Amino acid sequence: MQLIEQLEEYHRSAAPGAAPFHSGLLESQGGMCSVPPSPSHTHVAAMLPKNQPRLDLQDEPQNALLPLLRKIHFQFTSTHDLEDMGCGTSSSKKDRKSEKALKAALVIQNWYRGYSARLKARQRYALTIFQSIEYADEQGQLQLSNFFSFMLENYTQIREKDPELVARLFGGTLQDSKDRQEYVSFIDVPDSYNGPRLQFPLTFTDIDLLVEAFKQQQILHAHYVLEVLFETKRVLKQMPNFTQVKTSPTKEITICGDLHGKLDDLFLIFYKNGLPSGSNSYIFNGDFVDRGKHSMEILMILFVSFLVYPNDLHLNRGNHEDFMMNLRYGFTKEILHKYKMHGKKILQILEDVYTWLPIGTIIDNEILVIHGGISESTDLNLLHRIERHKMKSVLMPPISVDEDHDTDLKKSKIGATIVPRESKTNESPSEQLTKHEWEQVIDILWSDPRGKRGCYPNTSRGGGCYFGPDITSKILNKFQLKMLIRSHECKPEGYEICHDGKVVTVFSASNYYEEGSNRGAYIKLCCDMTPRFFQYQVTRATCLRPLYQRVNTMESSAIRILKERMLSRKTDLIRAFQLQDRSKSGKLSMSQWAFSMENTLGLNLPWRSLSPHLVTTDKNGNINYMSTFQDIHIQKPVKEAQSTLIETLYRYRSDLQIIFNVIDSDHSGLISMEEFRAMWRLFHSHYSIHIEDFQVDELAERMDLNKDGSIDFNEFLKAFYVVHKLEKLNKSDGHPP
């Protein structure tokens, strides 16, 4: 009984990080990537009995289970060896030993199943936090469209001082007459440049050259970047809104989802599946850029491949192929960092290139590939006809002409004169999409499938809709289609099938939120065949870290960004807590605290399960609600600034940064004090922010360090950051955060 007792004791005392599980990984050459087995291929793990845990003892930090399993193995083998040698082992003794060994195995199995379930639950919670905050940010981004409309109505000086800004925001092309020569011919490539040199017309050699150069972390010269962008735009303008693709039993097509600037994922896809060619077709389904650090490299590889094989590499527009999204999510900053001299020119032409990307692909007249999804009103016939290049940004809805406002000049509540609507731009209404057309494009770029029937607003993202299985069937049947393949959502396994197999989501950026957070995947299709799914996960290590370490990292990162979100609403949360705390005890029940958190933040999170990471409780289970903020605070850029002002600016810092970047049309990073004050008054009025204007004025004046009347607003907003006290203590003690 000693072995059973040891196992039972281990089962009772095992620490939460004691024995992680890790299914078999196939390591690629060079140790760059670890690739989980594809569901479409037989793997040695599949030879094990169903529902049997697959233990990888290399994942056990101290290999505590190893001697116990060896004892089990010894008992089995020694019994059978003795029997084979003819030794007189009694059958009753042999049965008892076998029974002990079986009990030991069951103890391990039960312990592992419980432990694995707890790990998976923690992983799901972390992913839920990441996704909820990501969607809440997107919702805020889409709400900026209302602000820009409000801004144009109230900020008269914009039209007078910067008509190009109006054209940029509300449709139209910025002087399309600026031809290739004006941008490219005056940018010389010096002899000292050691990066890749492209030869036009481009060939397969240029694709290979670019891939190898980017593996060596080389930067493509701005001359070639602009040349590629202009040539891509020229070819895209000749393409329809939906690309028609044909497959055959001998010619497959590969569909990739979001890459989001993660170059190693693209390298891994090409390593496993081959570079694009006339016999190796690809569809890249949008969201090539933003978030990751290598969006420009991905864009250049895809555009060069498209120019070499325009009939075999297909590009769909995603919701991040949008210059306004790039302002918030990193691509604009990446371009200006990598191309300090010519970044502005690159950004200008890139805005145009985005508008000419096709909005979908149809495979074999039966599979629709779009980035987001559909709605009950999706009309593919209309979407085939719209002039897609008029969709400058999802944040810029069409401006309606209202003749009643021609002479109705009134003072707004902030004291600025409302501009007559018909004179807002030099464009006629026919040069914009209609509101209905704009909504149709929004739906296919932003919508998400759900299990619930019907079609209802996508409240998480703030744009597009949620569509149920009945809507999928209705739209597919209406247009004689069999399947919808879309991207747009991170999935733990890299793909997901729903709506009775009629909707497939594919997401190709592994480790999207944090290392180990999710796999990437791509799909291979050919005529009349079932889609095949291929999964992978990029890692810099030779072997993927144990699951418990990956979950700990994910969980810490998720809790960190959640605390920052909570801190940005500190005043609102304290007000909500105090409304519940009628006895002014400083404590709330778990249900009261959870209600206040959800009612204020609206993130739809399992607050009860997350509470141990966020607050402290007393022996009766009541929560000390001020402990929510005990280990974090916002660093003040100016000591004299009031905390409520700092909190408000921190909360809206991303929105303010986009607004200031839009005004800063020359990308200098500077705006005048006058512009700063005018924009703040508009922002303050539109969002009903309870901060006095003079407080912001005083803070801005203090931030104008050299007193030249201009503010470096990026530095201004960067000055607001969160200090995590526990992390600071860990670092000072020499411990990792």
Side-chain angles (χ1 to χ4, degrees):
M1 290 297 291
Q2 185 179 6
L3 177 62
I4 299 296
E5 290 169 358
Q6 286 179 1
L7 284 167
E8 288 177 341
E9 175 62 27
Y10 187 80
H11 171 60
R12 285 191 297 270
S13 62
F21 165 72
H22 181 43
S23 63
L25 291 179
L26 304 174
E27 295 175 14
S28 68
Q29 293 179 356
M32 182 185 79
C33 307
S34 296
V35 186
S38 166
S40 60
H41 290 85
T42 304
H43 187 265
V44 66
M47 299 168 62
L48 295 172
K50 289 185 177 179
N51 301 321
Q52 196 74 9
R54 293 150 188 168
L55 293 173
D56 184 350
L57 293 175
Q58 298 304 314
D59 276 346
E60 169 56 51
Q62 299 174 349
N63 289 333
L65 285 175
L66 190 56
L68 301 179
L69 289 176
R70 282 176 177 160
K71 286 184 180 181
I72 296 172
H73 180 262
F74 174 76
Q75 287 195 9
F76 272 119
T77 54
S78 61
T79 300
H80 291 297
D81 288 346
L82 287 170
E83 186 177 8
D84 291 342
M85 293 169 61
C87 297
T89 305
S90 67
S91 61
S92 61
K93 186 176 181 180
K94 179 179 70 176
D95 289 344
R96 284 196 301 272
K97 285 190 174 184
S98 297
E99 183 180 355
K100 288 179 183 179
L102 182 59
K103 285 183 178 179
L106 289 173
V107 169
I108 293 173
Q109 183 184 66
N110 290 335
W111 172 84
Y112 163 70
R113 284 178 173 170
Y115 169 74
S116 180
R118 290 191 297 274
L119 269 185
K120 291 294 183 183
R122 288 170 57 199
Q123 188 177 36
R124 282 196 305 274
Y125 289 155
L127 284 171
T128 301
I129 292 171
F130 283 126
Q131 200 165 59
S132 295
I133 292 177
E134 177 191 6
Y135 290 175
D137 283 342
E138 288 182 343
Q139 185 180 90
Q141 176 82 347
L142 285 171
Q143 288 172 353
L144 275 178
S145 63
N146 297 326
F147 172 75
F148 284 119
S149 298
F150 178 80
M151 177 184 79
L152 202 64
E153 290 178 348
N154 291 276
Y155 191 17
T156 312
Q157 295 96 314
I158 286 182
R159 180 174 170 267
E160 297 171 352
K161 292 184 177 180
D162 198 352
E164 281 197 354
L165 174 60
V166 179
R168 183 186 186 199
L169 291 179
F170 294 92
T173 301
L174 282 177
Q175 295 185 6
D176 201 32
S177 59
K178 288 185 177 180
D179 62 7
R180 197 170 184 147
Q181 292 301 316
E182 186 176 343
Y183 279 91
V184 179
S185 60
F186 298 109
I187 302 176
D188 295 324
V189 182
D191 294 337
S192 59
Y193 170 67
N194 295 321
R197 293 176 181 266
L198 303 181
Q199 298 291 326
F200 290 83
L202 298 166
T203 65
F204 179 82
T205 304
D206 294 291
I207 302 175
D208 197 44
L209 179 71
L210 213 52
V211 168
E212 292 306 314
F214 290 156
K215 284 181 180 178
Q216 302 302 317
Q217 299 182 338
Q218 295 178 345
I219 301 293
L220 184 64
H221 195 277
H223 174 92
Y224 299 117
V225 171
L226 288 166
E227 196 85 78
V228 168
L229 291 176
F230 272 107
E231 188 64 15
T232 301
K233 177 184 171 183
R234 184 187 67 80
V235 178
L236 286 174
K237 288 174 74 172
Q238 303 169 25
M239 299 187 65
N241 292 346
F242 288 86
T243 310
Q244 297 285 340
V245 174
K246 295 289 184 183
T247 64
S248 68
T250 58
K251 185 174 182 179
E252 292 183 309
I253 191 163
T254 302
I255 304 169
C256 301
D258 301 36
L259 285 167
H260 279 300
K262 291 186 171 290
L263 187 59
D264 285 342
D265 286 289
L266 183 61
F267 286 158
L268 181 52
I269 291 168
F270 287 161
Y271 172 79
K272 288 169 63 68
N273 197 59
L275 289 170
S277 70
S279 58
N280 191 23
S281 297
Y282 279 91
I283 298 172
F284 287 91
N285 197 27
D287 281 12
F288 323 126
V289 301
D290 278 337
R291 302 188 187 279
K293 296 180 180 179
H294 301 287
S295 295
M296 177 56 79
E297 287 79 4
I298 286 178
L299 210 58
M300 287 297 102
I301 290 173
L302 296 184
F303 283 174
V304 168
S305 300
F306 166 72
L307 293 173
V308 177
Y309 300 108
N311 297 318
D312 300 288
L313 188 133
H314 311 282
L315 303 171
N316 290 344
R317 187 176 184 178
N319 63 308
H320 278 264
E321 279 66 63
D322 182 313
F323 80 97
M324 295 292 287
M325 296 293 288
N326 297 164
L327 285 169
R328 181 189 286 261
Y329 294 105
F331 189 31
T332 298
K333 185 177 180 181
E334 177 188 332
I335 291 173
L336 293 174
H337 174 72
K338 291 178 179 176
Y339 298 96
K340 293 180 174 63
M341 284 184 62
H342 306 292
K344 178 184 175 182
K345 294 178 180 177
I346 291 171
L347 288 169
Q348 283 180 333
I349 183 61
L350 189 57
E351 287 180 25
D352 256 1
V353 174
Y354 284 158
T355 67
W356 288 103
L357 285 167
I359 54 178
T361 304
I362 298 175
I363 304 173
D364 298 327
N365 294 318
E366 57 185 27
I367 298 175
L368 175 64
V369 184
I370 51 178
H371 179 72
I374 55 178
S375 71
E376 60 187 349
S377 61
T378 294
D379 185 348
L380 294 184
N381 294 326
L382 173 63
L383 287 167
H384 272 89
R385 297 193 306 267
I386 67 167
E387 297 178 82
R388 67 181 186 274
H389 65 280
K390 294 179 180 178
M391 184 69 163
K392 199 75 173 173
S393 171
V394 296
L395 299 184
M396 299 298 110
I399 308 169
S400 60
V401 175
D402 186 350
E403 295 180 359
D404 293 338
H405 286 263
D406 285 356
T407 58
D408 185 17
L409 299 179
K410 298 180 180 178
K411 291 286 182 178
S412 72
K413 57 186 173 183
I414 61 170
T417 302
I418 298 177
V419 184
R421 285 184 174 268
E422 69 167 18
S423 61
K424 287 175 186 172
T425 73
N426 294 324
E427 298 177 353
S428 66
S430 63
E431 292 174 337
Q432 302 179 58
L433 293 179
T434 67
K435 187 174 186 296
H436 179 59
E437 290 171 336
W438 183 80
E439 289 171 345
Q440 288 276 307
V441 178
I442 292 292
D443 284 343
I444 66 170
L445 293 182
W446 282 85
S447 296
D448 296 309
R450 288 294 181 266
K452 179 182 172 183
R453 291 172 59 85
C455 183
Y456 40 102
N458 193 328
T459 52
S460 295
R461 296 187 190 268
C465 68
Y466 293 128
F467 60 99
D470 55 325
I471 302 300
T472 296
S473 297
K474 171 188 169 184
I475 298 299
L476 293 182
N477 291 337
K478 180 178 179 180
F479 296 102
Q480 293 83 52
L481 298 167
K482 294 182 179 179
M483 182 184 292
L484 167 63
I485 296 178
R486 42 91 63 181
S487 303
H488 195 43
E489 287 183 287
C490 176
K491 298 298 179 183
E493 297 302 316
Y495 73 94
E496 185 177 84
I497 303 170
C498 63
H499 293 187
D500 300 319
K502 294 178 181 178
V503 173
V504 175
T505 298
V506 59
F507 195 86
S508 298
S510 67
N511 308 306
Y512 178 58
Y513 296 116
E514 186 63 65
E515 184 182 355
S517 63
N518 65 285
R519 296 177 181 178
Y522 59 88
I523 304 172
K524 291 185 78 70
L525 277 172
C526 67
C527 185
D528 297 325
M529 297 290 286
T530 303
R532 294 186 295 147
F533 300 90
F534 295 80
Q535 298 168 287
Y536 53 86
Q537 192 152 13
V538 169
T539 176
R540 288 294 182 183
T542 304
C543 296
L544 208 60
R545 290 186 302 163
L547 179 61
Y548 83 94
Q549 288 184 3
R550 285 177 277 147
V551 170
N552 285 344
T553 301
M554 281 178 58
E555 191 174 60
S556 298
S557 181
I559 294 298
R560 189 180 194 278
I561 65 170
L562 179 56
K563 284 186 174 183
E564 291 178 8
R565 177 57 64 107
M566 291 158 53
L567 189 59
S568 72
R569 302 293 300 276
K570 181 178 178 179
T571 302
D572 295 333
L573 283 170
I574 291 175
R575 188 181 299 117
F577 294 152
Q578 290 174 344
L579 283 174
Q580 297 285 330
D581 181 21
R582 295 180 179 177
S583 63
K584 301 188 184 305
S585 64
K587 296 181 179 180
L588 295 176
S589 68
M590 178 67 73
S591 59
Q592 288 175 319
W593 177 81
F595 172 81
S596 300
M597 292 293 287
E598 183 57 37
N599 201 40
T600 303
L601 299 179
L603 294 175
N604 194 27
L605 290 174
W607 295 108
R608 292 170 183 268
S609 300
L610 294 172
S611 62
H613 300 283
L614 303 175
V615 288
T616 58
T617 57
D618 62 18
K619 60 183 180 181
N620 298 319
N622 293 318
I623 289 174
N624 175 7
Y625 55 77
M626 289 307 294
S627 66
T628 306
F629 315 105
Q630 67 183 4
D631 63 339
I632 52 174
H633 71 271
I634 302 172
Q635 184 68 37
K636 292 184 180 182
V638 177
K639 290 183 179 179
E640 296 84 355
Q642 294 186 15
S643 296
T644 51
L645 171 61
I646 298 302
E647 179 188 325
T648 301
L649 290 174
Y650 177 78
R651 175 181 173 185
Y652 291 106
R653 68 196 186 284
S654 295
D655 293 340
L656 289 168
Q657 191 161 22
I658 291 171
I659 292 164
F660 293 149
N661 270 296
V662 168
I663 295 173
D664 177 31
S665 56
D666 64 353
H667 300 288
S668 67
L670 301 173
I671 59 171
S672 70
M673 291 289 289
E674 179 188 352
E675 288 174 321
F676 178 87
R677 290 189 180 100
M679 291 310 302
W680 172 257
R681 284 195 294 272
L682 286 170
F683 193 80
H684 169 276
S685 175
H686 183 67
Y687 284 90
S688 300
I689 296 170
H690 303 292
I691 298 292
E692 295 297 330
D693 291 343
F694 76 87
Q695 296 177 0
V696 179
D697 286 348
E698 288 178 358
L699 183 59
E701 286 174 4
R702 288 194 177 98
M703 296 301 292
D704 180 13
L705 300 178
N706 59 2
K707 305 304 177 184
D708 65 351
S710 296
I711 299 174
D712 184 336
F713 58 85
N714 287 311
E715 292 302 320
F716 174 79
L717 293 170
K718 248 193 276 182
F720 303 90
Y721 61 92
V722 172
V723 175
H724 291 254
K725 295 179 184 176
L726 294 180
E727 289 184 10
K728 198 172 180 180
L729 287 173
N730 286 335
K731 288 179 181 177
S732 64
D733 293 339
H735 300 301

